[in-house]
Amino acid sequence: MNLELLESFGQNYPEEFDGSLDCISLAVTCAFNKYGTLLAVGCNDGRVVIWDFLTRGIAKIISAHVHPVCSLCWSRNGHKLLSASTDNNVCIWDVLSGDCEQKYRFPSPILKVQFHPRNDNKFLVCPMRYAAILVDVGGKHECLPLDNDGDLNIVAAFDRRGEHIYTGNAKGKILVLNANTLEIVASFKIVLGSSSVTAVKSIEFARRGEAFLVNTSDRVIRVYDSKEVVTCGKDGEPEPIQKLQDLVNKTTWKKCCFSGDGEYICAGSARQHALYVWEKSIGNLVKILHGTKGELLLDVVWHPVRPIIASISSGLVSIWAQNQVENWSAFAPDFKELDENVEYEERESEFDITDEDKSVDLAAESKQDEEVEVDVVSAEPIAAFCSSDEEYEDEHALQFLPMAPEVEDPEDGWGSQDNDTLGGGGGAAGFGASVGALGGGSGAGSGGGGSDSMKENEPSMKKRKTSQYEIALDNAPIDDVHPLLQNKTNKDKQSTTSKKAAGRPRK
């Protein structure tokens, strides 16, 4: 993956549909890891399907919850996955082994979860109609302070490095809190005209740069500079860098996100499967990507490194990418494409072993004789994988999941050796189980070798005990129904009919 050779002068946004990922179950939400090598997809049957994004194949299936998965977030090094379900449970998963490390039970529905960008031991939870909660892995939790107006429709997000937490409410008030002390550092209000206010639907931060966007119910996406907001202080009036909207159709936005480099903004329509891409610096609309008519969009994420967007509708993950044109002259500068055959005139010495007509250049020959040492050991850190305050990549980061090779007739003891080499069989057994799940849950089929080895070594494999915590929230709205479940029946009808129409055979 030569990230340095990516086209730097061309447009860096997707242009066309590039296939879809079918999780068998209906996909609801998705999230890329930091490197963009793995894509976690949360499904409506509670499973989390992890795709190897380079091979576009399923690397692991975690039977995470019983109810639909509504939010996912990777830890910084990719070893842990945070998931929330509509049954009010939040879990932390070990990605390699597929084990649940911690489970947190909340009294009310959870809308969003997010790991601290630099600390895997803290995460942010946004319950429905309640103050956002900062949870410590050990079970301790703190409620984030509310604004004086007392509005409880809260959305919250960590900034890029986890130094501050930004919260927004239905009255348009945004608070900036210190992530350690939870003191209010800055605040401002989004006002329409002179008096009317608009509700904050989501806050998203760019992976690079200081920009963040606020999606509000007035159908406008406002882009701010976080440094300017903090400088303005409490009750400040920072001006947005850009205001983005669909002036023609007055589209409401379901989900918004930044591109990996922070130069583009993508917003998914709440009424149809349509993705709008703007250039942040100018604010002009550069592309509209249209999905199948009649589909409703559920989630949109942009690849952290490449110009690729993943969107979810009708239970499928759609991939949008650039049109790859083969440019042969890049490999051979004198290469010419011909419309028809032409007679080739051969030069006198073209195919001679030694060119007799070449003039002898002694200086050039002496240069060729000099040995040049090529360093093949040290690896230069890839800038796209390092933050601006880091010099080196994280050596312990999990970029890929190990897979067991598919062996039809495994020899005696093959499974146990494989388990030893893969550190207790985390990858091999997990993949065997995942293929088994794809084959109807029998554990047989092409992944049989992996699942058999798992059964043989079950006594030797120590499964970590899940730590369970009850999070008590005073006056939490216990009877509220999660938004996913409120219109679940309509979406299920729509998605099942579209799947039948597509005629996809069950694998």
Short mmCIF file of all heavy atoms in Angstrom, two decimals, residues 404 427-437 443-444 447-451 454:
data_model
loop_
_atom_site.label_atom_id
_atom_site.label_comp_id
_atom_site.label_asym_id
_atom_site.label_seq_id
_atom_site.Cartn_x
_atom_site.Cartn_y
_atom_site.Cartn_z
N ALA A 404 -7.29 -18.63 9.58
CA ALA A 404 -6.84 -20.02 9.41
C ALA A 404 -6.99 -20.40 7.95
O ALA A 404 -8.01 -20.14 7.34
CB ALA A 404 -7.70 -20.94 10.27
N GLY A 427 -7.28 -15.96 16.34
CA GLY A 427 -7.66 -15.68 14.97
C GLY A 427 -8.24 -16.89 14.29
O GLY A 427 -9.27 -16.82 13.65
N ALA A 428 -7.56 -18.05 14.44
CA ALA A 428 -7.99 -19.23 13.69
C ALA A 428 -9.35 -19.71 14.14
O ALA A 428 -10.24 -19.93 13.34
CB ALA A 428 -6.96 -20.35 13.88
N ALA A 429 -9.51 -19.83 15.45
CA ALA A 429 -10.79 -20.33 15.95
C ALA A 429 -11.90 -19.34 15.64
O ALA A 429 -12.99 -19.73 15.27
CB ALA A 429 -10.70 -20.56 17.46
N GLY A 430 -11.58 -18.04 15.76
CA GLY A 430 -12.59 -17.03 15.47
C GLY A 430 -13.04 -17.11 14.04
O GLY A 430 -14.21 -17.00 13.73
N PHE A 431 -12.08 -17.32 13.12
CA PHE A 431 -12.46 -17.37 11.71
C PHE A 431 -13.24 -18.63 11.41
O PHE A 431 -14.20 -18.63 10.65
CB PHE A 431 -11.21 -17.31 10.83
CG PHE A 431 -11.55 -17.27 9.36
CD1 PHE A 431 -12.19 -16.17 8.83
CD2 PHE A 431 -11.25 -18.34 8.54
CE1 PHE A 431 -12.51 -16.13 7.50
CE2 PHE A 431 -11.58 -18.29 7.21
CZ PHE A 431 -12.20 -17.20 6.69
N GLY A 432 -12.84 -19.73 12.04
CA GLY A 432 -13.60 -20.97 11.84
C GLY A 432 -15.03 -20.78 12.29
O GLY A 432 -15.97 -21.21 11.63
N ALA A 433 -15.18 -20.11 13.43
CA ALA A 433 -16.53 -19.87 13.94
C ALA A 433 -17.30 -18.95 13.02
O ALA A 433 -18.49 -19.14 12.80
CB ALA A 433 -16.45 -19.27 15.33
N SER A 434 -16.59 -17.95 12.45
CA SER A 434 -17.30 -17.00 11.59
C SER A 434 -17.77 -17.66 10.31
O SER A 434 -18.86 -17.41 9.84
CB SER A 434 -16.40 -15.81 11.27
OG SER A 434 -15.33 -16.21 10.44
N VAL A 435 -16.93 -18.52 9.74
CA VAL A 435 -17.35 -19.22 8.52
C VAL A 435 -18.50 -20.16 8.84
O VAL A 435 -19.43 -20.32 8.07
CB VAL A 435 -16.17 -19.99 7.89
CG1 VAL A 435 -16.63 -20.77 6.69
CG2 VAL A 435 -15.07 -19.02 7.48
N GLY A 436 -18.44 -20.75 10.03
CA GLY A 436 -19.52 -21.63 10.46
C GLY A 436 -20.83 -20.85 10.54
O GLY A 436 -21.88 -21.32 10.14
N ALA A 437 -20.72 -19.62 11.06
CA ALA A 437 -21.92 -18.81 11.17
C ALA A 437 -22.48 -18.47 9.79
O ALA A 437 -23.67 -18.43 9.57
CB ALA A 437 -21.61 -17.52 11.92
N GLY A 443 -21.03 -24.62 11.97
CA GLY A 443 -19.59 -24.74 12.27
C GLY A 443 -18.90 -25.65 11.29
O GLY A 443 -17.73 -25.93 11.41
N ALA A 444 -19.62 -26.12 10.29
CA ALA A 444 -19.02 -26.98 9.28
C ALA A 444 -18.68 -26.15 8.05
O ALA A 444 -18.56 -24.95 8.13
CB ALA A 444 -20.00 -28.10 8.93
N GLY A 447 -14.95 -23.61 6.79
CA GLY A 447 -14.18 -23.26 7.99
C GLY A 447 -14.18 -24.38 9.00
O GLY A 447 -13.94 -24.15 10.18
N GLY A 448 -14.46 -25.58 8.59
CA GLY A 448 -14.58 -26.69 9.53
C GLY A 448 -13.30 -26.96 10.28
O GLY A 448 -13.32 -27.28 11.46
N GLY A 449 -12.16 -26.82 9.59
CA GLY A 449 -10.87 -27.10 10.24
C GLY A 449 -10.67 -26.21 11.45
O GLY A 449 -10.29 -26.67 12.51
N GLY A 450 -11.00 -24.90 11.27
CA GLY A 450 -10.82 -23.96 12.37
C GLY A 450 -11.73 -24.28 13.53
O GLY A 450 -11.32 -24.27 14.68
N SER A 451 -13.02 -24.60 13.24
CA SER A 451 -13.96 -24.84 14.33
C SER A 451 -13.67 -26.17 15.03
O SER A 451 -13.85 -26.30 16.23
CB SER A 451 -15.39 -24.82 13.79
OG SER A 451 -15.54 -25.75 12.75
N MET A 454 -10.99 -25.69 17.40
CA MET A 454 -11.47 -24.97 18.57
C MET A 454 -12.09 -25.94 19.56
O MET A 454 -11.88 -25.85 20.76
CB MET A 454 -12.50 -23.93 18.12
CG MET A 454 -12.97 -23.03 19.25
SD MET A 454 -14.00 -21.69 18.66
CE MET A 454 -15.45 -22.59 18.17
#
